[in-house]
Amino acid sequence: MKQNEKLGGSRIDGLVVIRAGTVSATDDATLPWAVLTETGLRVAPVEEFLRDLLACGNSAASCRSYAYDLLRWSRFLAAVEVPWHRATSLEVRDFVLWLKTAHNPARDRHRENSAAAGSVNRRTGKAALSAGYAPATINHAISVIACFYDFHLETGQGPVISPVPGPTRAGGHIGAHHNPLEPFAAHSRGRYRQKEPEREPRAVPDDVVEDLFSSLSCHRDRALFSMFLSSGARAAELLAMTVDDVRPGQGRIYVRSKGLGGVKEPCPASPEAFAWLTLYLGEMAQVEGLRPGPGEPLWWTRRHPLRPLTYTALRAILNRINEKIGATVSVHDLRHTLAIRLVEDPGLSLVDVQHVMRHRWITTTTGYLRPRPDEVIAKVAEHYGRPRHVAGARTGWAYDPDDLADLFGNNK
């Protein structure tokens, strides 16, 4: 450690973190994603941790997410010249400070007319992502680093004490052994954990949904977005569907749910979505000569060579539509829209909505019970539009003074 660091100088000022290394997919079923160094070598400590993560029942997508967080951590440690097994809470602190001040390369806008960071879209009311790392991203990175060092603490390969401080280091998860007959005790937020704003339900306004569908140019896109809006499926779940996952006679589709290790669960879908799907498959067979078999992907590109539709291609479709209608709709916004519509239906219970959305905890579903900002603003505007109360004016009903005089007499 340099002398100015011992005296309290900051290592963040002027720190250059080189984007060396990468996260790469592998052919190994026990390690779907690996962190590679700049020379293409696998990082052994990270590899062992990711294998253990997959063995604990986590999905390949979770392994990929954890791998990127650990790659960012290893880049920072390389910049400050500290080996991973020598890291202390000071490195974690400086890592958090760097994330709070660094530019997030994933937020780079490549289009000239892209919305400015943090600006609010006039049609959807949704703010554009900031140029830096969000508090939730920082907290997730801290959690991943904590799990990484806890694993190597058990194997004896890492430091004796985890560099990530927090209330969960000594006694497990907070509330893990809580007595349900007693109230929860208040606890402070862990060190270096960021305050996260409460997320509001993000329903797409009806007029924006209509403009979105009117901008779709083919039956495939109409079927795809109808499925999103009526089933509540996530993007990865819907794009991974095969032909035999569609059951029009039962009014449902089957998707591989998030976090269930590939188990398929039923989702409802509207008759309109199945109608568009029929037109799409007929168009594919007539124009392209492609008739996907029962086990083949359901969604295909329109350009040759034909190949299964990917999330990148889906996002490109949505970006073009958003640019055309002046909105910022995401695929996940359609899932939120369905959840809010179901919650507002008096014929459906909250448990029904939980089942459709496939939430693990009903507390996640109750988040959609919160009033939306546009609804609150409309009610307040209605309040301002009501006639104001004038002092001395009679409101409502009252007895006629002459009738009271006849009944009780004139006291004059």
Side-chain angles (χ1 to χ4, degrees):
M1 185 175 292
K2 298 179 181 179
Q3 182 66 23
N4 65 330
E5 296 169 5
K6 293 182 179 180
L7 298 177
S10 175
R11 292 181 293 180
I12 305 305
D13 296 338
L15 179 67
V16 178
V17 178
I18 301 176
R19 299 180 63 185
T22 183
V23 174
S24 177
T26 69
D27 297 330
D28 189 353
T30 63
L31 185 68
W33 297 90
V35 176
L36 306 181
T37 63
E38 189 176 6
T39 58
L41 299 177
R42 291 185 179 182
V43 182
V46 176
E47 181 174 336
E48 295 177 5
F49 169 71
L50 293 180
R51 289 185 188 276
D52 185 79
L53 188 71
L54 190 67
C56 291
N58 294 281
S59 64
S62 297
C63 292
R64 178 177 180 269
S65 174
Y66 278 46
Y68 273 107
D69 280 318
L70 292 175
L71 174 62
R72 193 182 298 117
W73 171 244
S74 63
R75 288 172 175 174
F76 175 82
L77 292 180
V80 297
E81 300 179 356
V82 175
W84 74 272
H85 57 281
R86 297 283 186 179
T88 64
S89 60
L90 295 180
E91 278 69 45
V92 177
R93 181 202 63 185
D94 291 344
F95 177 66
V96 172
L97 292 175
W98 173 70
L99 289 178
K100 290 172 66 68
T101 56
H103 171 71
N104 187 351
R107 301 291 182 261
D108 290 336
R109 272 76 174 178
H110 301 287
R111 297 187 179 185
E112 296 181 357
N113 56 349
S114 298
S119 61
V120 179
N121 185 268
R122 62 179 183 83
R123 300 206 63 187
T124 61
K126 187 171 66 173
L129 297 174
S130 61
Y133 291 93
T137 303
I138 298 177
N139 290 339
H140 185 269
I142 296 175
S143 299
V144 171
I145 296 172
C147 293
F148 172 74
Y149 281 99
D150 286 347
F151 167 74
H152 285 290
L153 181 63
E154 295 177 358
T155 60
Q157 300 177 5
V160 178
I161 301 177
S162 173
V164 181
T168 62
R169 298 274 66 80
H173 295 288
I174 296 176
H177 303 284
H178 174 259
N179 185 350
L181 299 179
E182 298 178 357
F184 281 94
H187 60 275
S188 59
R189 189 175 68 253
R191 284 175 60 190
Y192 311 140
R193 305 280 176 167
Q194 308 298 301
K195 293 182 179 179
E196 296 186 35
E198 296 184 6
R199 296 182 179 181
E200 301 289 344
R202 299 180 305 184
V204 182
D206 293 338
D207 61 328
V208 178
V209 173
E210 294 177 2
D211 290 346
L212 187 149
F213 273 88
S214 63
S215 301
L216 301 176
S217 59
C218 64
H219 294 325
R220 182 205 62 185
D221 295 347
R222 297 184 186 99
L224 189 61
F225 284 96
S226 295
M227 285 289 181
F228 276 124
L229 192 56
S230 63
S231 67
R234 302 172 180 88
E237 296 171 345
L238 205 62
L239 293 177
M241 287 178 55
T242 58
V243 175
D244 54 359
D245 291 332
V246 180
R247 309 292 171 85
Q250 302 176 6
R252 67 180 67 181
I253 59 175
Y254 284 85
V255 297
R256 287 187 175 89
S257 293
K258 172 184 176 183
L260 292 184
V263 177
K264 292 187 176 182
E265 289 187 309
C267 292
S270 65
E272 179 183 4
F274 287 115
W276 288 119
L277 183 62
T278 302
L279 294 174
Y280 155 62
L281 293 176
E283 184 181 58
M284 286 288 294
Q286 182 178 1
V287 178
E288 305 295 344
L290 176 64
R291 295 180 180 271
E296 293 184 313
L298 178 63
W299 310 104
W300 294 78
T301 60
R302 300 180 62 197
R303 295 181 180 180
H304 290 272
L306 299 180
R307 55 192 182 276
L309 189 68
T310 62
Y311 178 75
T312 303
L314 173 63
R315 187 170 57 181
I317 296 171
L318 199 53
N319 287 340
R320 289 194 295 268
I321 297 174
N322 282 327
E323 185 177 356
K324 181 179 179 180
I325 65 177
T328 55
V329 180
S330 67
V331 174
H332 209 71
D333 290 342
L334 301 178
R335 175 176 167 85
H336 289 299
T337 303
L338 174 64
I340 291 177
R341 289 180 177 180
L342 297 180
V343 166
E344 293 177 349
D345 189 340
L348 295 173
S349 66
L350 194 63
V351 177
D352 296 332
V353 180
Q354 179 193 11
H355 181 77
V356 173
M357 304 308 296
R358 289 169 290 118
H359 290 152
R360 182 179 182 183
W361 308 108
I362 198 169
T363 51
T364 306
T365 313
T366 56
Y368 294 98
L369 296 176
R370 298 175 54 188
R372 289 177 289 168
D374 53 348
E375 293 179 347
V376 176
I377 293 175
K379 291 180 180 179
V380 174
E382 183 181 352
H383 164 75
Y384 291 147
R386 297 192 187 104
R388 296 182 60 184
H389 175 72
V390 180
R394 292 167 53 186
T395 59
W397 63 272
Y399 291 106
D400 190 291
D402 295 335
D403 294 338
L404 294 177
D406 293 339
L407 180 61
F408 297 104
N410 193 345
N411 295 328
K412 293 183 180 179

